[in-house]
Amino acid sequence: MDQKLKYIGKYIPIHDAKEKVSGKIVYVGDMELHGMLHAKLVLSPIAHGRIKHINISKAEALPGVIAVFNYKNSPEILYNAHKWIEGIEVIRDERLFTSHVRFFGDRIAAVVAESKEIAEKAANLIEVEYEELPVILDPEIAKKADSYPIHPDGNHFFSKEIKCGNPDEKMKEGFLTIEDRIETPKTHHAAMETHACIADTDQIGNITVYTPCQVIFQVQLIVSEALKIPRNKIRVIKTTTGGSFGGKGQPILEPIAAFLSYTLKRPVKLVLDRTEEIIATRTRTKTIGTVQTAVDKEGNIIARDIHMLVDAGAYTTNGEAIAVAMGKKTFKLYRIYDQRYVAEAVYTNTLIAGACRGYGSPQIHSVTEINLDNVAKALHMDPVEFRLKNLVHPYDKDPTGGPELGNARIIDCVKKGRELFEWDKKYSRPKQAGRYARGVGMACGAHGNGYFGAYPDFITLSLRINEEGTAVLKGAFHDVGCGTNMTMMQIVAEVLDLDVSKIYIPATDTLVSPFDSAGTQASRVTFVCGGAAKKVAEQVRAKLIAYGAKVLDCMEADVVLEDGYVWDCNSIDLKISYGELAVITQKRYSEEMGATMTYQSPGNPTSYGAHFVEVEVDTMTGRVKILAYLAVHDLGKAINSGFVEGQIQGAVQMGIGMALSEEITFDSKGKVTAGRFSRYHVINAPDMPEVQVELIERLEDLGPFGAKSIGEAATVPTAPAIINAINHALDVNLTVLPALPDRIMDAIKSKTKERV
Amino acid sequence: MLLEFDVNGIKRKLDVDPEMRLIDILRDKLGLKGTKEGCGEGECGACTVIIDSVAVNSCLVLAIQARDKQIITIEGLEKDGELDLLQKTFINQGAVQCGYCTPGMLMSCKALLMQNTNPTEKEIRLAISGNLCRCTGYTKIIRAVREAVETGGMQNG
Amino acid sequence: MDKFTYKTPVTLEELVESLKSANENTYILGGGTDFVIQMRKKRLSQGVIIDMTGIRGLNEINMDEDHIRLGANVTYSQLYNNPFIRAHVACLAQMAIKVGSKQIQNMARLPGNIVNASKAGDSIPVLLALDASAKIINSKGETKQIKVQDIILGMGKTILNRDEAIIEILFPKPTINTRSSFGKIGHGARNELTIANVSLAMITEYNQINNIIEKACLVVGAVAPVAFHAAQAEVFLQSKRPSRLLIPQLADILQKQVETVLKGNVSSKHKINDIRGLAFDVFENIFTDVI
Ligand SMILES: Cc1cc2nc3c(=O)[nH]c(=O)nc-3n(C[C@H](O)[C@H](O)[C@H](O)COP(=O)(O)OP(=O)(O)OC[C@H]3O[C@@H](n4cnc5c(N)ncnc54)[C@H](O)[C@@H]3O)c2cc1C
Ligand code: FES
Ligand code: FES
């Protein structure tokens, strides 16, 4: 089948590569509108308190300042930026500017001025007096009933249990039960483009918002809710996005910029600097997981009990959704028929959590996969062998009744990885004495494909072949840099047999793009939107054939479509282009060569991956060097092989950060101590290993050309694989991520003590 | 304050605010928006430009320090409508995803190749240690530099 | 609103002229890699900036009978790329390539590192180990030569007056027996582009003929407000034959000294691990061929 594919599977550069390498591409921060004003936020310098007094007079007096807004002169409406579609229940607790600050970085005010320099100066002149309140940084303290409430209803705002079988009973039957408690850190998305937004309002109050977002219709909804303005007065245009990773999923600046522009009737630009980006947007949810796994003598997992404490930070946002999402993953990777997952979510006076690449999967898998290595160790079993005994098989059912797993090929991933990585040899290699200790580790991961089974998951697309023979695909696609547009173009090109360069996707715009239920979220784009692109292209293809037959006066079965031309296979001399056929069809039959349709996601199979890593740990200083890295993924089919490889390599970079270096830290009063890149270490080129990528391309029945998701799935196994490798190298049990040098040294030292 | 310098081969004479950094002048005065600001403290490299043949963070250079200097920005790499070899290899190798780090990354790599026509992998990695990329994991960027070295060498030879 | 004004001396005479009106709002600008960040953080927007970088002749690395002389505008890249420095003042070259990133190395200079006087300044332990001095010029045109050791008083504090500028760094020429190395372990997990958590500069006079370390000089950075000589370690190594067996003892001595300086400060406890690692790195680096 593969040989016949012309576009699917190839590496074709991202659609805007040329504009990007030449510096011509325009991000929202590069845009200038006539008469544009500049806004600067004022953020809370304390972690918890009430504003007693705010003095804006000095700021207002500065020449060039247009206006200053704070809780006194802005809407009091509460909203939850996580809500992306009407009909889902959310806790509303966020407002534009607050008088009750709940974390270091909470929004107090915004200054609007003629230039960004003036806005910055004025922001610095605002004086605020606070009544300080008790600060809670530790989620375990927040969980206690008597902890000082950050929100009126207390700090423990959500709990959820998901269960299959009878874990309590089965747990007792275990030959061996291993318990671990593992902490994962709050981390920063670190997209290189910080959050930025422009809003413009015309004389009759129509607002246009330009934003590098992940869901235009969510932006429209949130702006509408926060400002109480009808949706049809709000137009959202997605701009070129300089990375997002979930960070730009929730509208943060959009309602503010819209409010400022709407009030002042001028275009307003709001761009965050890196410190604001770190503290005042969203973070990866911190979690504390406890897990107990019971196995029999042969190494079959017989029961598991998982408890996750979710630290949502100062506001709810997706705290409930992520707690549930994490749980679902735990039933899709191993054949465990007696299992309980319990999650509890709490507020703390720390940075707000949100979606971050993997949506909880990297956290939950860190907890469970590190634990499984400890189980294997206790059983004196090779961790690969142990996993192979327990992993799910293709077409297994979800024991909780969730969406079916589909063509689940995790076993193939592990077997392939074991062979390519020379796992058996490396794992059993005798330990060398000396300063540098080597070890290998691996971990598996599972991630979904969309919202099917949980939330509405559909997209409407419109595809038309125009008179020139080029095709226009309209849809709410949000390419955040991972090649969504080209992926769609390749799918359409393949179905229509039309060169990709002839397929055009217009800007994503609520005024132009047909409705899409969820945007770039939940790893749904390739699977759902790609499925839709394939379907709509098939409809257009059917039209090309039907009208081709009429025009060529032949049987439909004899119509050939190739490279933008149509002909009758019995008379190859007469070839007409798709454009000509479209013109004739319009003229003769009053029909256009296009189709519009709504596609419902057909399922939610699981994407899998297994990562293998070899590390060398300096036992004197606790520094870790990654010597070799292999990522094997079951993604059904790579639509664009280059993008897939790039996604995996980038995802591993992020996962290494979670394992080794990235952590947002606070002082005892809740002030962020890692609010800059000099203190928040993103892995740079010298420390980044060459990531070898291997794909298991066993087609998924429900996916377009067999494809499943990869971008999020790829970051799931990284952190636990690395921690397992360090644990293997040192024979320790690290339980707090990231494994910073001092944590590694503490682990080494406590082990030495144990021995004495 | 009057500033005279050469940007991408064009002599410029500008009246600039003395607090301005080179990045502000390039973006706001000259409209050369290809140079990006990702941190403003020398840590991310998105703002990298070439000054007198070496890579520099334009967020840490004051206007005055650019006087009489020759500056190359991302907009200056393309010659007569033809992309520079490195720009082409970045596209070929898939070294570009979101593109936000790309201008700075290209300028660091260009500066490297201006000084060292045959860098080792380690030298390439060190040359971009001050350029963060969150999308690619750097591998394809390194491959792009290697491809430029190899084809560049062939073109010369 | 008042704004910055700039002075752009091209000669030392013009520099002296520029320094004449210096007051607390006068700033000397080298590569700007510290200054620009501070200027923005402190929102400085008024005063006079004297840009050193255009002064002719200060970007050279020279040598006379007894000294190596580095002009105030010599960048870290220049140091690293200089074959003589690389071969004979290894600690300086190794330090230079460990400062920040390439972009930083291309702009930043030694005087800025000295005057910035950060606890973690990488050049400081090296310059102390080299027994380097700075040549300082004032607004009267007088010059004086002061040991770097005596210039830095504490974190961010130096003896320099507002009307003084460093125009040269100089240190005694290495002998044929001089061997040196610099090591640094950064904050956090990253290896490049990090602020030092601990650094160590070591210079030895090693007589290969009789295989004896005649003299050793070790300076520890980033532990105390100002880098300090590890005096016991220096005594320990004197007259010893280099061997791998020495290293653990050297590490113990250095560790003790760092512990004493830290006085049980728990937040810095892993500096103790790092100094041990550095003892091995630096010693092995210097004596690889003979141990
Ligand atoms: C991203 C980044 C990474 C860094 N990494 C490191 C690192 O790894 N190690 C390290 O040590 N430092 C590091 N630094 C700090 C900085 O680069 C060094 O301290 C550098 O040596 C400063 O030199 P400069 O020429 O840029 O000084 P400037 O910024 O120009 O000046 C710094 C101070 O010195 C004064 N000054 C400058 N020149 C003179 C002179 N000739 N006479 C008198 N006073 C003078 C200035 O007035 C100012 O107060 C880093 C900085 C950044 C932004
Ligand atoms: S913006 Fe200059 S280095 Fe980040
Ligand atoms: S391509 Fe997105 S940061 Fe490098």
Side-chain angles (χ1 to χ4, degrees), chain A residues 350-605:
Chain A
T350 65
L351 308 188
I352 310 175
C356 183
R357 196 179 207 161
Y359 212 85
S361 285
Q363 291 97 311
I364 186 73
H365 285 90
S366 292
V367 173
T368 53
E369 288 294 296
I370 294 169
N371 170 254
L372 286 190
D373 258 39
N374 289 333
V375 176
K377 193 167 147 186
L379 284 166
H380 303 289
M381 256 180 105
D382 179 322
V384 165
E385 217 33 76
F386 171 57
R387 283 182 174 81
L388 283 172
K389 259 185 182 291
N390 291 285
L391 285 164
V392 294
H393 289 236
Y395 304 103
D396 272 4
K397 301 260 184 286
D398 180 320
T400 64
E404 297 191 1
L405 310 187
N407 194 0
R409 292 287 169 176
I410 180 64
I411 290 176
D412 302 43
C413 291
V414 172
K415 285 186 173 162
K416 188 80 188 174
R418 168 200 234 168
E419 171 202 325
L420 288 178
F421 195 74
E422 300 187 315
W423 171 269
D424 296 348
K425 197 173 97 195
K426 286 182 177 160
Y427 182 72
S428 53
R429 193 173 40 207
K431 293 276 162 61
Q432 303 266 304
R435 174 172 174 182
Y436 297 96
R438 283 192 179 195
V440 290
M442 61 87 61
C444 299
H447 199 67
N449 280 268
Y451 278 138
F452 177 91
Y455 299 105
D457 200 351
F458 62 91
I459 181 169
T460 302
L461 292 182
S462 174
L463 175 66
R464 175 174 186 260
I465 292 180
N466 65 21
E467 298 78 353
E468 301 156 4
T470 56
V472 179
L473 177 67
K474 285 186 194 166
F477 304 116
H478 304 75
D479 195 318
V480 288
C482 42
T484 299
N485 283 20
M486 182 52 76
T487 302
M488 299 303 142
M489 287 155 71
Q490 283 174 260
I491 290 172
V492 170
E494 191 67 52
V495 175
L496 294 181
D497 205 332
L498 180 66
D499 196 85
V500 272
S501 65
K502 295 203 169 148
I503 293 155
Y504 173 68
I505 298 181
T508 303
D509 177 343
T510 52
L511 214 58
V512 176
S513 316
F515 188 70
D516 167 47
S517 71
T520 291
Q521 289 193 84
S523 283
R524 66 186 282 272
V525 176
T526 298
F527 183 74
V528 181
C529 307
K534 179 156 182 277
K535 191 79 176 277
V536 76
E538 280 163 359
Q539 290 184 0
V540 174
R541 182 182 171 91
K543 267 190 163 175
L544 282 169
I545 292 174
Y547 288 97
K550 288 189 192 189
V551 170
L552 296 167
D553 197 14
C554 67
M555 309 260 291
E556 286 193 11
D558 289 341
V559 174
V560 180
L561 301 183
E562 201 180 301
D563 214 12
Y565 284 87
V566 190
W567 67 88
D568 170 359
C569 67
N570 303 309
S571 66
I572 46 172
D573 296 339
L574 180 65
K575 289 189 177 177
I576 56 174
S577 71
Y578 289 180
E580 286 168 307
L581 180 60
V583 171
I584 300 169
T585 308
Q586 287 176 188
K587 216 161 116 186
R588 275 197 215 158
Y589 306 104
S590 279
E591 177 64 279
E592 73 165 331
M593 198 51 76
T596 297
M597 56 108 229
T598 301
Y599 178 83
Q600 287 86 18
S601 173
N604 190 350

Side-chain angles (χ1 to χ4, degrees), chain A residues 498-721:
Chain A
L498 180 66
D499 196 85
V500 272
S501 65
K502 295 203 169 148
I503 293 155
Y504 173 68
I505 298 181
T508 303
D509 177 343
T510 52
L511 214 58
V512 176
S513 316
F515 188 70
D516 167 47
S517 71
T520 291
Q521 289 193 84
S523 283
R524 66 186 282 272
V525 176
T526 298
F527 183 74
V528 181
C529 307
K534 179 156 182 277
K535 191 79 176 277
V536 76
E538 280 163 359
Q539 290 184 0
V540 174
R541 182 182 171 91
K543 267 190 163 175
L544 282 169
I545 292 174
Y547 288 97
K550 288 189 192 189
V551 170
L552 296 167
D553 197 14
C554 67
M555 309 260 291
E556 286 193 11
D558 289 341
V559 174
V560 180
L561 301 183
E562 201 180 301
D563 214 12
Y565 284 87
V566 190
W567 67 88
D568 170 359
C569 67
N570 303 309
S571 66
I572 46 172
D573 296 339
L574 180 65
K575 289 189 177 177
I576 56 174
S577 71
Y578 289 180
E580 286 168 307
L581 180 60
V583 171
I584 300 169
T585 308
Q586 287 176 188
K587 216 161 116 186
R588 275 197 215 158
Y589 306 104
S590 279
E591 177 64 279
E592 73 165 331
M593 198 51 76
T596 297
M597 56 108 229
T598 301
Y599 178 83
Q600 287 86 18
S601 173
N604 190 350
T606 311
S607 293
Y608 292 95
H611 289 192
F612 295 79
V613 54
E614 181 173 16
V615 299
E616 182 180 84
V617 188
D618 180 345
T619 57
M620 273 182 184
T621 65
R623 262 74 185 173
V624 177
K625 194 166 154 193
I626 297 179
L627 301 174
Y629 204 104
L630 169 69
V632 191
H633 280 275
D634 156 30
L635 51 22
K637 170 85 195 161
I639 303 287
N640 183 310
S641 55
F643 292 174
V644 164
E645 197 187 19
Q647 281 298 304
I648 296 172
Q649 290 165 339
V652 170
Q653 189 266 6
M654 210 172 205
I656 295 175
M658 180 174 166
L660 296 179
S661 73
E662 295 185 37
E663 179 177 29
I664 298 174
T665 47
F666 302 86
D667 69 11
S668 59
K669 300 190 97 181
K671 190 174 170 219
V672 174
T673 48
R676 293 179 291 141
F677 274 154
S678 51
R679 293 285 162 181
Y680 184 91
H681 279 181
V682 168
I683 296 296
N684 55 1
D687 284 336
M688 184 66 200
E690 166 122 17
V691 177
Q692 195 194 337
V693 172
E694 181 68 21
L695 303 180
I696 304 293
E697 296 193 272
R698 300 291 296 266
L699 309 188
E700 166 55 43
D701 313 321
L702 301 175
F705 296 99
K708 294 190 280 193
S709 68
I710 186 65
E712 293 194 272
T715 200
V716 174
T718 310

Side-chain angles (χ1 to χ4, degrees), chain A residues 194-252:
Chain A
T194 59
H195 280 64
C197 177
I198 294 177
D200 189 11
T201 308
D202 70 13
Q203 287 316 308
I204 49 170
N206 293 310
I207 310 173
T208 304
V209 181
Y210 301 88
T211 170
C213 63
Q214 289 185 201
V215 196
I216 48 170
F217 294 103
Q218 179 178 6
V219 175
Q220 191 184 43
L221 180 144
I222 295 299
V223 171
S224 161
E225 281 196 1
L227 272 58
K228 267 213 161 33
I229 291 173
R231 261 176 244 198
N232 61 13
K233 308 248 333 152
I234 301 157
R235 175 181 182 187
V236 180
I237 300 174
K238 181 202 161 281
T239 51
T240 305
T241 307
S244 178
F245 314 106
K248 289 169 183 149
Q250 297 179 12
I252 299 166

